[in-house]
Amino acid sequence: MGKAGRVLKTVLNNYGISQGKLATEMGIGSSNVYRWVNEIRDPNSETVVRIVEALESIDPNASEEFRRLLYLGDATEKDRS
């Protein structure tokens, strides 16, 4: 599976954001977020944009970290994809 789920899981944990809170902000079921963070299913590109917007609404720093890790990776960890 893709990198988006791993990054999302990291960001949610780092900022104490629950899967349910993100799902509510996005107007979707929490099972969708569960599938992404557990790498059962990848969010498509349109959904990634919605994740960024939802995180921005919850915590702008979380949104920034999600974008940074997703697109630039973490300099301290080799990219697994």
Side-chain angles (χ1 to χ4, degrees):
M1 288 286 137
K3 183 176 179 180
R6 286 192 307 270
V7 170
L8 181 59
K9 184 175 188 173
T10 297
V11 169
L12 294 180
N13 287 335
N14 287 351
Y15 289 87
I17 301 169
S18 71
Q19 294 176 22
K21 183 171 181 110
L22 179 62
T24 298
E25 189 66 35
M26 293 179 70
I28 61 172
S30 58
S31 61
N32 291 306
V33 179
Y34 174 87
R35 287 185 202 106
W36 302 330
V37 300
N38 288 289
E39 299 181 57
I40 296 167
R41 190 166 140 193
D42 289 329
N44 64 33
S45 59
E46 292 173 5
T47 303
V48 168
V49 171
R50 291 183 60 215
I51 291 169
V52 168
E53 293 169 346
L55 287 172
E56 181 73 27
S57 183
I58 296 167
D59 185 331
N61 293 321
S63 178
E64 175 60 31
E65 184 172 339
F66 179 74
R67 286 179 285 178
R68 182 180 59 79
L69 292 176
L70 184 61
Y71 294 111
L72 299 177
D74 186 345
T76 63
E77 180 181 332
K78 287 185 178 180
D79 188 357
R80 294 184 241 167
S81 59

